[in-house]
Amino acid sequence: ILYALNAQTLTTPATPEPPIAVAALNGYVFILAANNRRIYFSTTGLTWRALDFQTVESGPPNDMVGMITDHEELWIFGNRMAQAFVVGEDPDAPLVQITSGLIMMGLASRHALCALDNSLFWYGKNKDGEHMAWRANGYTPVRVSNHAVENAFRSYPRHDDVSMATFQLNGHSCIRMTFPS
């Protein structure tokens, strides 16, 4: 949820549509709207104009699920694929697609996305299947789960509520995946 601090009170700024994800990059605040492929942008995050949006156009039906910033890029994940963007010079359309940044592996749960060890990790899904954990190597997804772990994932009743969190333990970088249901 997006909040603004006004006179020591948290308020929710009026956005054109309810956001499912919020990210900041290079002087812009971006919100991702569900189900319509729109990414709204604002330079303050406090005021939002209904016409300040861009549309993610890549690929087949791909419901928007989440986004994250990493290495001065905005990665927008759908349930079938992902696309990386940079901020360009046009203030009316600040997001510029990275043509090599089309990733044919989407996100299975909006909170199952994190950055760790100079890379992105996510719980993936695409047209061919799901229940795998991935790490980005540049714009190439590399599978980090194995068959035994994926079979355990498959045994859980739901997969749309998975969340990921990062931490370090005795110098080791770790990801915790939680399946609440």
Side-chain angles (χ1 to χ4, degrees):
I1 298 178
L2 182 64
Y3 293 102
L5 182 60
N6 294 322
Q8 298 182 349
T9 302
L10 287 178
T11 60
T12 305
T15 56
E17 296 185 47
I20 61 170
V22 179
L25 180 65
N26 293 348
Y28 288 92
V29 178
F30 297 96
I31 60 170
L32 180 62
N35 301 325
N36 66 7
R37 298 183 181 205
R38 288 185 179 172
I39 298 97
Y40 290 90
F41 55 90
S42 167
T43 55
T44 65
L46 300 174
T47 57
W48 296 86
R49 296 184 336 187
L51 296 178
D52 283 348
F53 70 87
Q54 287 182 255
T55 305
V56 178
E57 300 291 344
S58 298
N62 190 35
D63 293 335
M64 298 295 98
V65 181
M67 68 181 173
I68 191 169
T69 56
D70 186 59
H71 291 88
E72 299 298 314
E73 297 172 348
L74 180 67
W75 288 48
I76 299 173
F77 283 81
N79 66 340
R80 299 285 184 240
M81 61 183 55
Q83 175 70 52
F85 295 83
V86 293
V87 173
E89 300 296 322
D90 185 352
D92 295 323
L95 291 178
V96 177
Q97 284 185 341
I98 299 171
T99 55
S100 60
L102 181 62
I103 298 104
M104 302 308 289
M105 180 54 64
L107 184 62
S109 172
R110 99 174 39 163
H111 300 294
L113 175 61
C114 62
L116 179 71
D117 276 348
N118 219 20
S119 190
L120 295 179
F121 291 81
W122 69 97
Y123 182 59
K125 173 181 180 178
N126 71 7
K127 67 178 181 59
D128 298 322
E130 53 191 330
H131 309 305
M132 293 187 217
W134 298 90
R135 178 182 183 148
N137 180 12
Y139 303 117
T140 303
V142 176
R143 186 170 151 218
V144 294
S145 55
N146 61 36
H147 292 295
V149 170
E150 292 157 8
N151 283 331
F153 291 164
R154 278 185 203 70
S155 72
Y156 302 149
R158 286 182 53 194
H159 300 94
D160 61 342
D161 61 351
V162 179
S163 64
M164 295 175 98
T166 62
F167 63 98
Q168 284 193 343
L169 181 64
N170 297 325
H172 298 277
S173 297
C174 303
I175 294 175
R176 173 182 293 130
M177 292 181 69
T178 305
F179 292 77
S181 57

